[in-house]
Amino acid sequence: MQEYTFKDLKKALQKKDISQLLKVLGTLYILNEESFKKGLLLSGCLPEPLARNFNKDNLLLFAKACMLTEENFRKFDNEMAEEFSKVYRKLVASIFVISEANNKNQKQLEDIDFLNYPFAKQIQMISTFIESQSIYARRENSKRFKNGYYTGLECEMPNGEQEVSIADNIEFTIEITDTLIRLLHFKHKDNIDTEDFKIHSDISPYNLPSIEKLFLLASHRLGLNSLWEKIKFQNWEFDIYKEKEKKMYYYRSPSEENLKIERAAILRYRYKEHIYTSKKFSKITELSKLTSQVRDDINISLDKPESIFTVKEDIYRRFEDLAGVFTDVEFEMLEEELGSTIESTKIGSKSDISLNELMLAIKYLKTLALIYQEKSHKVFNDENEKSFKYLAPILPISGFVSDFSSKFNIDATKAEEIIEQFIFSTTPTLDIFSQPLIYVGNGNVIFTPQLITQMNDNRIVGMHISKWNVNVAKKGIEFEQFIRNIFRLVPFLHVNSKPIKFTAYDGKEVEFDFIGTFEGALLLVEMKCLKRPFSSKEIKQREEDVMEGVNQVVRREKVVKKEWEKIKSIVDIPLPEQPPEKIIKIVCLNIFDFTGRQENGVIITDVSTFSKFFMNPEVKAHTNQSDNPANNKIFEVLWKTRRPTLEGFLDYLNKPVAMKGFYENLKESPRHLLLIDDKDTRIAFQDFVLQANPYTIEKVLPIEQVRKYKEPKQKKKKNKRYSKKNKSEYGLAH
């Protein structure tokens, strides 16, 4: 049988050679049955349903070739024909239904008169929408706080019938905006700097049907893009249901367990940030009071927003101190992830921008954003259309460069290079979560405080490390050494002081990162230092790294059983005469996204989870006040006896306490894509929402202490603009 590759399949499709297609398809499936679908999706053989040059004829040709191949299979192996049919029919159906939905989306765009507005006005209106929504979200979120008790998870709870949290609401709004800005930059790429530049004042984004429709279409496109990524990189498939007597494609993860673990990890990251921030609560409170005291002294004019660059020095420093608390928290978390490489890493086209300089610029931008919000939000009145013009002003890039250079005594050329890292231009290399200064032409950007204050510093650094191909291998070595060192301090464990390496019985080299003993069992641990994933594609890439670690540990178990005498002679810890019957295989990561999974008998965890069981077995809640009694309440102890047990350790790793509360409180909540036409195929995909806060005051304090923290019931006030109508209209239910 002649061997073919997916490149051969791609060539046959391009040439529209049906006979060659039949030869290649049949052979490829027989030789690559398990990886056939993955190969189709990742090789570029099939037309991308969201591409501008989507070729429907190529899809139909592929489908025809598959049907003929299926008929050929049935002649000698009906079971193989059935399996082949399941693969290609669902894949073709998905590409078809997504491309059709996208085609309707594109046609609807043609009728939106908003797209005929001047480019700068379009961006102003969209940015103003983001900033105003942040005001309404804060009002909504403030209703959820209880006196003296804040867990950091209040904004993660579902809000309204659509079961979308305030945090997801804001994040999705920004994702929609990222989609819109890319579209507008693409449409205007040839004349952004040539058309007459003007700052507009009539920029309220509300009560304008065309912009509402644009947000709907952007939400729809974003949902399609998210769904296609899940299909392409995470192997999601659909089942067909009836909804209101109409067909609906409901896409699910191949592993509901893994999807819940991913969702729990996101919540755990957010809670971790809250824990770090809560330790500085008293300082934040003090600094917030100081900034509020000077609110009336802020010497900037909203009619001349460039005056933000000449704000009084003492005003700037007070707000900088407040912004600095949060950037310091992010830097502490960054140091945990990068270790000593944080000092040596350089980014930029010249590889001359240090991470300290990048973080300094983040603090600078966040300081300006806090100052401007203090001034603009104070005068904002949503009943007055004119007040919207103050929310997201246009400012010159040169103003940022000159001010940043002056404040921190940085060379002007270097300052310009640093500020450029935060500008979203016609050819963006990152997204607006990382580049919040949106270019609008003639050397100007839109300054949207909400986009700036929401910047995730760790994510930005991670994306720059990827963008500039920075080598952080040194961190992996430090990570391994750190784990071995801390576990050598645990009296219940015996851990070898360094990795061991030798040529095994099969003639191949084997290396043991971590080998130790606990309660008569052998611990084999593979340690991997990975970048945190932020998309389906990145999750797939990290998963491949994790599975590589799994395979390594599985092989080491085989080597242990074959080469026990050699291992005993190399290690510096006592080992029994024969290999232990119980061998615990672990892959330990620096990220949370896979904690709680098991693959091929290997437990996947993270260093925080792994170390907590032995080093700090008492579990406490974390609130926003250091003297809050909830902080001293122990609501779980990991050891059921005076010393840890192997059984307790394994139970703990299966559902670690750090993720268990989130995992157990997640409930399935399907996300429906918006319908452009009621006749369209209905599409939804699986998701989970946090239905209950695992760290509520009722769960961590005795009833008598709970009462004093309970707020009196307040009458609900309906906010005019932050309503269910607006949330669903702008796609927040996906």
mmCIF file with all atom_site columns, all heavy atoms in Angstrom, residues 121-142:
data_model
loop_
_atom_site.group_PDB
_atom_site.id
_atom_site.type_symbol
_atom_site.label_atom_id
_atom_site.label_alt_id
_atom_site.label_comp_id
_atom_site.label_asym_id
_atom_site.label_entity_id
_atom_site.label_seq_id
_atom_site.pdbx_PDB_ins_code
_atom_site.Cartn_x
_atom_site.Cartn_y
_atom_site.Cartn_z
_atom_site.occupancy
_atom_site.B_iso_or_equiv
_atom_site.pdbx_formal_charge
_atom_site.auth_seq_id
_atom_site.auth_comp_id
_atom_site.auth_asym_id
_atom_site.auth_atom_id
_atom_site.pdbx_PDB_model_num
ATOM 1   N N   . LYS A 1 121 ? -14.452 58.410 14.652 1.00 0.00 ? 121 LYS A N   1
ATOM 2   C CA  . LYS A 1 121 ? -15.722 58.448 15.380 1.00 0.00 ? 121 LYS A CA  1
ATOM 3   C C   . LYS A 1 121 ? -16.186 57.037 15.726 1.00 0.00 ? 121 LYS A C   1
ATOM 4   O O   . LYS A 1 121 ? -16.718 56.792 16.815 1.00 0.00 ? 121 LYS A O   1
ATOM 5   C CB  . LYS A 1 121 ? -16.785 59.162 14.547 1.00 0.00 ? 121 LYS A CB  1
ATOM 6   C CG  . LYS A 1 121 ? -18.129 59.301 15.269 1.00 0.00 ? 121 LYS A CG  1
ATOM 7   C CD  . LYS A 1 121 ? -19.108 60.151 14.487 1.00 0.00 ? 121 LYS A CD  1
ATOM 8   C CE  . LYS A 1 121 ? -20.416 60.311 15.275 1.00 0.00 ? 121 LYS A CE  1
ATOM 9   N NZ  . LYS A 1 121 ? -21.378 61.202 14.589 1.00 0.00 ? 121 LYS A NZ  1
ATOM 10  N N   . GLN A 1 122 ? -16.001 56.102 14.787 1.00 0.00 ? 122 GLN A N   1
ATOM 11  C CA  . GLN A 1 122 ? -16.373 54.709 15.059 1.00 0.00 ? 122 GLN A CA  1
ATOM 12  C C   . GLN A 1 122 ? -15.652 54.189 16.299 1.00 0.00 ? 122 GLN A C   1
ATOM 13  O O   . GLN A 1 122 ? -16.265 53.591 17.195 1.00 0.00 ? 122 GLN A O   1
ATOM 14  C CB  . GLN A 1 122 ? -16.016 53.841 13.854 1.00 0.00 ? 122 GLN A CB  1
ATOM 15  C CG  . GLN A 1 122 ? -16.833 54.119 12.608 1.00 0.00 ? 122 GLN A CG  1
ATOM 16  C CD  . GLN A 1 122 ? -16.313 53.360 11.399 1.00 0.00 ? 122 GLN A CD  1
ATOM 17  O OE1 . GLN A 1 122 ? -15.190 52.864 11.404 1.00 0.00 ? 122 GLN A OE1 1
ATOM 18  N NE2 . GLN A 1 122 ? -17.114 53.284 10.357 1.00 0.00 ? 122 GLN A NE2 1
ATOM 19  N N   . ILE A 1 123 ? -14.341 54.416 16.342 1.00 0.00 ? 123 ILE A N   1
ATOM 20  C CA  . ILE A 1 123 ? -13.555 53.906 17.471 1.00 0.00 ? 123 ILE A CA  1
ATOM 21  C C   . ILE A 1 123 ? -13.943 54.630 18.758 1.00 0.00 ? 123 ILE A C   1
ATOM 22  O O   . ILE A 1 123 ? -14.022 54.006 19.833 1.00 0.00 ? 123 ILE A O   1
ATOM 23  C CB  . ILE A 1 123 ? -12.041 54.081 17.206 1.00 0.00 ? 123 ILE A CB  1
ATOM 24  C CG1 . ILE A 1 123 ? -11.645 53.437 15.874 1.00 0.00 ? 123 ILE A CG1 1
ATOM 25  C CG2 . ILE A 1 123 ? -11.234 53.461 18.343 1.00 0.00 ? 123 ILE A CG2 1
ATOM 26  C CD1 . ILE A 1 123 ? -11.855 51.956 15.808 1.00 0.00 ? 123 ILE A CD1 1
ATOM 27  N N   . GLN A 1 124 ? -14.187 55.947 18.671 1.00 0.00 ? 124 GLN A N   1
ATOM 28  C CA  . GLN A 1 124 ? -14.605 56.701 19.858 1.00 0.00 ? 124 GLN A CA  1
ATOM 29  C C   . GLN A 1 124 ? -15.885 56.129 20.448 1.00 0.00 ? 124 GLN A C   1
ATOM 30  O O   . GLN A 1 124 ? -16.007 55.960 21.666 1.00 0.00 ? 124 GLN A O   1
ATOM 31  C CB  . GLN A 1 124 ? -14.831 58.174 19.491 1.00 0.00 ? 124 GLN A CB  1
ATOM 32  C CG  . GLN A 1 124 ? -13.586 59.047 19.524 1.00 0.00 ? 124 GLN A CG  1
ATOM 33  C CD  . GLN A 1 124 ? -13.951 60.501 19.288 1.00 0.00 ? 124 GLN A CD  1
ATOM 34  O OE1 . GLN A 1 124 ? -14.130 60.920 18.148 1.00 0.00 ? 124 GLN A OE1 1
ATOM 35  N NE2 . GLN A 1 124 ? -14.080 61.252 20.358 1.00 0.00 ? 124 GLN A NE2 1
ATOM 36  N N   . MET A 1 125 ? -16.858 55.838 19.596 1.00 0.00 ? 125 MET A N   1
ATOM 37  C CA  . MET A 1 125 ? -18.156 55.361 20.085 1.00 0.00 ? 125 MET A CA  1
ATOM 38  C C   . MET A 1 125 ? -18.028 53.982 20.734 1.00 0.00 ? 125 MET A C   1
ATOM 39  O O   . MET A 1 125 ? -18.626 53.723 21.781 1.00 0.00 ? 125 MET A O   1
ATOM 40  C CB  . MET A 1 125 ? -19.159 55.320 18.930 1.00 0.00 ? 125 MET A CB  1
ATOM 41  C CG  . MET A 1 125 ? -19.480 56.687 18.358 1.00 0.00 ? 125 MET A CG  1
ATOM 42  S SD  . MET A 1 125 ? -20.715 56.645 17.038 1.00 0.00 ? 125 MET A SD  1
ATOM 43  C CE  . MET A 1 125 ? -22.220 56.528 17.976 1.00 0.00 ? 125 MET A CE  1
ATOM 44  N N   . ILE A 1 126 ? -17.238 53.110 20.112 1.00 0.00 ? 126 ILE A N   1
ATOM 45  C CA  . ILE A 1 126 ? -17.054 51.771 20.675 1.00 0.00 ? 126 ILE A CA  1
ATOM 46  C C   . ILE A 1 126 ? -16.324 51.847 22.014 1.00 0.00 ? 126 ILE A C   1
ATOM 47  O O   . ILE A 1 126 ? -16.692 51.174 22.988 1.00 0.00 ? 126 ILE A O   1
ATOM 48  C CB  . ILE A 1 126 ? -16.288 50.880 19.682 1.00 0.00 ? 126 ILE A CB  1
ATOM 49  C CG1 . ILE A 1 126 ? -17.149 50.619 18.448 1.00 0.00 ? 126 ILE A CG1 1
ATOM 50  C CG2 . ILE A 1 126 ? -15.882 49.556 20.329 1.00 0.00 ? 126 ILE A CG2 1
ATOM 51  C CD1 . ILE A 1 126 ? -16.415 49.955 17.305 1.00 0.00 ? 126 ILE A CD1 1
ATOM 52  N N   . SER A 1 127 ? -15.291 52.681 22.086 1.00 0.00 ? 127 SER A N   1
ATOM 53  C CA  . SER A 1 127 ? -14.527 52.828 23.330 1.00 0.00 ? 127 SER A CA  1
ATOM 54  C C   . SER A 1 127 ? -15.383 53.448 24.423 1.00 0.00 ? 127 SER A C   1
ATOM 55  O O   . SER A 1 127 ? -15.283 53.076 25.604 1.00 0.00 ? 127 SER A O   1
ATOM 56  C CB  . SER A 1 127 ? -13.287 53.690 23.079 1.00 0.00 ? 127 SER A CB  1
ATOM 57  O OG  . SER A 1 127 ? -12.449 53.102 22.112 1.00 0.00 ? 127 SER A OG  1
ATOM 58  N N   . THR A 1 128 ? -16.243 54.385 24.044 1.00 0.00 ? 128 THR A N   1
ATOM 59  C CA  . THR A 1 128 ? -17.153 55.011 25.005 1.00 0.00 ? 128 THR A CA  1
ATOM 60  C C   . THR A 1 128 ? -18.129 53.980 25.570 1.00 0.00 ? 128 THR A C   1
ATOM 61  O O   . THR A 1 128 ? -18.469 54.009 26.760 1.00 0.00 ? 128 THR A O   1
ATOM 62  C CB  . THR A 1 128 ? -17.935 56.153 24.324 1.00 0.00 ? 128 THR A CB  1
ATOM 63  O OG1 . THR A 1 128 ? -17.014 57.149 23.901 1.00 0.00 ? 128 THR A OG1 1
ATOM 64  C CG2 . THR A 1 128 ? -18.935 56.774 25.273 1.00 0.00 ? 128 THR A CG2 1
ATOM 65  N N   . PHE A 1 129 ? -18.553 53.068 24.725 1.00 0.00 ? 129 PHE A N   1
ATOM 66  C CA  . PHE A 1 129 ? -19.442 52.006 25.194 1.00 0.00 ? 129 PHE A CA  1
ATOM 67  C C   . PHE A 1 129 ? -18.755 51.167 26.278 1.00 0.00 ? 129 PHE A C   1
ATOM 68  O O   . PHE A 1 129 ? -19.352 50.868 27.318 1.00 0.00 ? 129 PHE A O   1
ATOM 69  C CB  . PHE A 1 129 ? -19.860 51.120 24.022 1.00 0.00 ? 129 PHE A CB  1
ATOM 70  C CG  . PHE A 1 129 ? -20.675 49.932 24.443 1.00 0.00 ? 129 PHE A CG  1
ATOM 71  C CD1 . PHE A 1 129 ? -22.007 50.077 24.787 1.00 0.00 ? 129 PHE A CD1 1
ATOM 72  C CD2 . PHE A 1 129 ? -20.107 48.667 24.516 1.00 0.00 ? 129 PHE A CD2 1
ATOM 73  C CE1 . PHE A 1 129 ? -22.758 48.985 25.192 1.00 0.00 ? 129 PHE A CE1 1
ATOM 74  C CE2 . PHE A 1 129 ? -20.850 47.574 24.915 1.00 0.00 ? 129 PHE A CE2 1
ATOM 75  C CZ  . PHE A 1 129 ? -22.183 47.728 25.252 1.00 0.00 ? 129 PHE A CZ  1
ATOM 76  N N   . ILE A 1 130 ? -17.516 50.792 26.033 1.00 0.00 ? 130 ILE A N   1
ATOM 77  C CA  . ILE A 1 130 ? -16.772 49.992 27.012 1.00 0.00 ? 130 ILE A CA  1
ATOM 78  C C   . ILE A 1 130 ? -16.677 50.727 28.349 1.00 0.00 ? 130 ILE A C   1
ATOM 79  O O   . ILE A 1 130 ? -16.929 50.172 29.413 1.00 0.00 ? 130 ILE A O   1
ATOM 80  C CB  . ILE A 1 130 ? -15.355 49.677 26.506 1.00 0.00 ? 130 ILE A CB  1
ATOM 81  C CG1 . ILE A 1 130 ? -15.409 48.732 25.318 1.00 0.00 ? 130 ILE A CG1 1
ATOM 82  C CG2 . ILE A 1 130 ? -14.496 49.060 27.606 1.00 0.00 ? 130 ILE A CG2 1
ATOM 83  C CD1 . ILE A 1 130 ? -14.072 48.467 24.691 1.00 0.00 ? 130 ILE A CD1 1
ATOM 84  N N   . GLU A 1 131 ? -16.293 51.995 28.285 1.00 0.00 ? 131 GLU A N   1
ATOM 85  C CA  . GLU A 1 131 ? -16.095 52.757 29.521 1.00 0.00 ? 131 GLU A CA  1
ATOM 86  C C   . GLU A 1 131 ? -17.411 52.926 30.277 1.00 0.00 ? 131 GLU A C   1
ATOM 87  O O   . GLU A 1 131 ? -17.452 52.795 31.504 1.00 0.00 ? 131 GLU A O   1
ATOM 88  C CB  . GLU A 1 131 ? -15.481 54.124 29.206 1.00 0.00 ? 131 GLU A CB  1
ATOM 89  C CG  . GLU A 1 131 ? -14.993 54.894 30.421 1.00 0.00 ? 131 GLU A CG  1
ATOM 90  C CD  . GLU A 1 131 ? -13.829 54.209 31.131 1.00 0.00 ? 131 GLU A CD  1
ATOM 91  O OE1 . GLU A 1 131 ? -13.069 53.467 30.473 1.00 0.00 ? 131 GLU A OE1 1
ATOM 92  O OE2 . GLU A 1 131 ? -13.684 54.415 32.358 1.00 0.00 ? 131 GLU A OE2 1
ATOM 93  N N   . SER A 1 132 ? -18.498 53.212 29.563 1.00 0.00 ? 132 SER A N   1
ATOM 94  C CA  . SER A 1 132 ? -19.784 53.385 30.248 1.00 0.00 ? 132 SER A CA  1
ATOM 95  C C   . SER A 1 132 ? -20.258 52.065 30.855 1.00 0.00 ? 132 SER A C   1
ATOM 96  O O   . SER A 1 132 ? -20.803 52.044 31.960 1.00 0.00 ? 132 SER A O   1
ATOM 97  C CB  . SER A 1 132 ? -20.832 53.935 29.281 1.00 0.00 ? 132 SER A CB  1
ATOM 98  O OG  . SER A 1 132 ? -21.044 53.050 28.200 1.00 0.00 ? 132 SER A OG  1
ATOM 99  N N   . GLN A 1 133 ? -20.024 50.958 30.161 1.00 0.00 ? 133 GLN A N   1
ATOM 100 C CA  . GLN A 1 133 ? -20.415 49.664 30.710 1.00 0.00 ? 133 GLN A CA  1
ATOM 101 C C   . GLN A 1 133 ? -19.650 49.339 31.993 1.00 0.00 ? 133 GLN A C   1
ATOM 102 O O   . GLN A 1 133 ? -20.185 48.702 32.903 1.00 0.00 ? 133 GLN A O   1
ATOM 103 C CB  . GLN A 1 133 ? -20.189 48.558 29.675 1.00 0.00 ? 133 GLN A CB  1
ATOM 104 C CG  . GLN A 1 133 ? -21.218 48.512 28.570 1.00 0.00 ? 133 GLN A CG  1
ATOM 105 C CD  . GLN A 1 133 ? -22.601 48.114 29.074 1.00 0.00 ? 133 GLN A CD  1
ATOM 106 O OE1 . GLN A 1 133 ? -22.792 47.049 29.650 1.00 0.00 ? 133 GLN A OE1 1
ATOM 107 N NE2 . GLN A 1 133 ? -23.566 48.982 28.858 1.00 0.00 ? 133 GLN A NE2 1
ATOM 108 N N   . SER A 1 134 ? -18.405 49.785 32.072 1.00 0.00 ? 134 SER A N   1
ATOM 109 C CA  . SER A 1 134 ? -17.630 49.545 33.294 1.00 0.00 ? 134 SER A CA  1
ATOM 110 C C   . SER A 1 134 ? -18.255 50.280 34.482 1.00 0.00 ? 134 SER A C   1
ATOM 111 O O   . SER A 1 134 ? -18.238 49.793 35.612 1.00 0.00 ? 134 SER A O   1
ATOM 112 C CB  . SER A 1 134 ? -16.177 49.978 33.107 1.00 0.00 ? 134 SER A CB  1
ATOM 113 O OG  . SER A 1 134 ? -16.032 51.387 33.150 1.00 0.00 ? 134 SER A OG  1
ATOM 114 N N   . ILE A 1 135 ? -18.820 51.464 34.212 1.00 0.00 ? 135 ILE A N   1
ATOM 115 C CA  . ILE A 1 135 ? -19.492 52.231 35.282 1.00 0.00 ? 135 ILE A CA  1
ATOM 116 C C   . ILE A 1 135 ? -20.715 51.473 35.767 1.00 0.00 ? 135 ILE A C   1
ATOM 117 O O   . ILE A 1 135 ? -20.935 51.305 36.972 1.00 0.00 ? 135 ILE A O   1
ATOM 118 C CB  . ILE A 1 135 ? -19.881 53.635 34.774 1.00 0.00 ? 135 ILE A CB  1
ATOM 119 C CG1 . ILE A 1 135 ? -18.629 54.449 34.430 1.00 0.00 ? 135 ILE A CG1 1
ATOM 120 C CG2 . ILE A 1 135 ? -20.716 54.373 35.823 1.00 0.00 ? 135 ILE A CG2 1
ATOM 121 C CD1 . ILE A 1 135 ? -18.916 55.792 33.777 1.00 0.00 ? 135 ILE A CD1 1
ATOM 122 N N   . TYR A 1 136 ? -21.527 50.983 34.823 1.00 0.00 ? 136 TYR A N   1
ATOM 123 C CA  . TYR A 1 136 ? -22.733 50.260 35.205 1.00 0.00 ? 136 TYR A CA  1
ATOM 124 C C   . TYR A 1 136 ? -22.408 48.940 35.904 1.00 0.00 ? 136 TYR A C   1
ATOM 125 O O   . TYR A 1 136 ? -23.095 48.528 36.838 1.00 0.00 ? 136 TYR A O   1
ATOM 126 C CB  . TYR A 1 136 ? -23.594 49.994 33.958 1.00 0.00 ? 136 TYR A CB  1
ATOM 127 C CG  . TYR A 1 136 ? -23.907 51.242 33.172 1.00 0.00 ? 136 TYR A CG  1
ATOM 128 C CD1 . TYR A 1 136 ? -23.813 51.254 31.782 1.00 0.00 ? 136 TYR A CD1 1
ATOM 129 C CD2 . TYR A 1 136 ? -24.280 52.418 33.817 1.00 0.00 ? 136 TYR A CD2 1
ATOM 130 C CE1 . TYR A 1 136 ? -24.087 52.394 31.055 1.00 0.00 ? 136 TYR A CE1 1
ATOM 131 C CE2 . TYR A 1 136 ? -24.550 53.568 33.097 1.00 0.00 ? 136 TYR A CE2 1
ATOM 132 C CZ  . TYR A 1 136 ? -24.457 53.563 31.718 1.00 0.00 ? 136 TYR A CZ  1
ATOM 133 O OH  . TYR A 1 136 ? -24.719 54.700 31.000 1.00 0.00 ? 136 TYR A OH  1
ATOM 134 N N   . ALA A 1 137 ? -21.336 48.296 35.451 1.00 0.00 ? 137 ALA A N   1
ATOM 135 C CA  . ALA A 1 137 ? -20.929 47.029 36.070 1.00 0.00 ? 137 ALA A CA  1
ATOM 136 C C   . ALA A 1 137 ? -20.504 47.245 37.516 1.00 0.00 ? 137 ALA A C   1
ATOM 137 O O   . ALA A 1 137 ? -20.816 46.441 38.394 1.00 0.00 ? 137 ALA A O   1
ATOM 138 C CB  . ALA A 1 137 ? -19.792 46.398 35.275 1.00 0.00 ? 137 ALA A CB  1
ATOM 139 N N   . ARG A 1 138 ? -19.781 48.322 37.780 1.00 0.00 ? 138 ARG A N   1
ATOM 140 C CA  . ARG A 1 138 ? -19.350 48.601 39.155 1.00 0.00 ? 138 ARG A CA  1
ATOM 141 C C   . ARG A 1 138 ? -20.545 48.872 40.060 1.00 0.00 ? 138 ARG A C   1
ATOM 142 O O   . ARG A 1 138 ? -20.565 48.468 41.216 1.00 0.00 ? 138 ARG A O   1
ATOM 143 C CB  . ARG A 1 138 ? -18.394 49.794 39.159 1.00 0.00 ? 138 ARG A CB  1
ATOM 144 C CG  . ARG A 1 138 ? -17.027 49.459 38.577 1.00 0.00 ? 138 ARG A CG  1
ATOM 145 C CD  . ARG A 1 138 ? -16.160 50.677 38.427 1.00 0.00 ? 138 ARG A CD  1
ATOM 146 N NE  . ARG A 1 138 ? -14.973 50.359 37.637 1.00 0.00 ? 138 ARG A NE  1
ATOM 147 C CZ  . ARG A 1 138 ? -14.089 51.242 37.240 1.00 0.00 ? 138 ARG A CZ  1
ATOM 148 N NH1 . ARG A 1 138 ? -14.251 52.517 37.560 1.00 0.00 ? 138 ARG A NH1 1
ATOM 149 N NH2 . ARG A 1 138 ? -13.044 50.880 36.526 1.00 0.00 ? 138 ARG A NH2 1
ATOM 150 N N   . ARG A 1 139 ? -21.518 49.578 39.536 1.00 0.00 ? 139 ARG A N   1
ATOM 151 C CA  . ARG A 1 139 ? -22.725 49.836 40.324 1.00 0.00 ? 139 ARG A CA  1
ATOM 152 C C   . ARG A 1 139 ? -23.414 48.511 40.669 1.00 0.00 ? 139 ARG A C   1
ATOM 153 O O   . ARG A 1 139 ? -23.846 48.292 41.799 1.00 0.00 ? 139 ARG A O   1
ATOM 154 C CB  . ARG A 1 139 ? -23.688 50.729 39.536 1.00 0.00 ? 139 ARG A CB  1
ATOM 155 C CG  . ARG A 1 139 ? -23.194 52.151 39.318 1.00 0.00 ? 139 ARG A CG  1
ATOM 156 C CD  . ARG A 1 139 ? -24.170 52.904 38.428 1.00 0.00 ? 139 ARG A CD  1
ATOM 157 N NE  . ARG A 1 139 ? -23.683 54.232 38.083 1.00 0.00 ? 139 ARG A NE  1
ATOM 158 C CZ  . ARG A 1 139 ? -24.271 55.030 37.187 1.00 0.00 ? 139 ARG A CZ  1
ATOM 159 N NH1 . ARG A 1 139 ? -25.375 54.624 36.586 1.00 0.00 ? 139 ARG A NH1 1
ATOM 160 N NH2 . ARG A 1 139 ? -23.766 56.219 36.909 1.00 0.00 ? 139 ARG A NH2 1
ATOM 161 N N   . GLU A 1 140 ? -23.486 47.631 39.664 1.00 0.00 ? 140 GLU A N   1
ATOM 162 C CA  . GLU A 1 140 ? -24.136 46.340 39.873 1.00 0.00 ? 140 GLU A CA  1
ATOM 163 C C   . GLU A 1 140 ? -23.355 45.490 40.865 1.00 0.00 ? 140 GLU A C   1
ATOM 164 O O   . GLU A 1 140 ? -23.926 44.854 41.753 1.00 0.00 ? 140 GLU A O   1
ATOM 165 C CB  . GLU A 1 140 ? -24.253 45.615 38.530 1.00 0.00 ? 140 GLU A CB  1
ATOM 166 C CG  . GLU A 1 140 ? -25.038 44.331 38.560 1.00 0.00 ? 140 GLU A CG  1
ATOM 167 C CD  . GLU A 1 140 ? -26.536 44.545 38.688 1.00 0.00 ? 140 GLU A CD  1
ATOM 168 O OE1 . GLU A 1 140 ? -27.012 45.667 38.385 1.00 0.00 ? 140 GLU A OE1 1
ATOM 169 O OE2 . GLU A 1 140 ? -27.212 43.598 39.111 1.00 0.00 ? 140 GLU A OE2 1
ATOM 170 N N   . ASN A 1 141 ? -22.049 45.481 40.702 1.00 0.00 ? 141 ASN A N   1
ATOM 171 C CA  . ASN A 1 141 ? -21.209 44.630 41.543 1.00 0.00 ? 141 ASN A CA  1
ATOM 172 C C   . ASN A 1 141 ? -21.201 45.103 42.996 1.00 0.00 ? 141 ASN A C   1
ATOM 173 O O   . ASN A 1 141 ? -21.110 44.299 43.928 1.00 0.00 ? 141 ASN A O   1
ATOM 174 C CB  . ASN A 1 141 ? -19.781 44.605 40.999 1.00 0.00 ? 141 ASN A CB  1
ATOM 175 C CG  . ASN A 1 141 ? -19.035 43.349 41.409 1.00 0.00 ? 141 ASN A CG  1
ATOM 176 O OD1 . ASN A 1 141 ? -19.634 42.318 41.680 1.00 0.00 ? 141 ASN A OD1 1
ATOM 177 N ND2 . ASN A 1 141 ? -17.730 43.435 41.464 1.00 0.00 ? 141 ASN A ND2 1
ATOM 178 N N   . SER A 1 142 ? -21.295 46.411 43.201 1.00 0.00 ? 142 SER A N   1
ATOM 179 C CA  . SER A 1 142 ? -21.259 46.944 44.567 1.00 0.00 ? 142 SER A CA  1
ATOM 180 C C   . SER A 1 142 ? -22.425 46.432 45.402 1.00 0.00 ? 142 SER A C   1
ATOM 181 O O   . SER A 1 142 ? -22.348 46.369 46.626 1.00 0.00 ? 142 SER A O   1
ATOM 182 C CB  . SER A 1 142 ? -21.277 48.477 44.527 1.00 0.00 ? 142 SER A CB  1
ATOM 183 O OG  . SER A 1 142 ? -22.505 48.944 43.989 1.00 0.00 ? 142 SER A OG  1
#
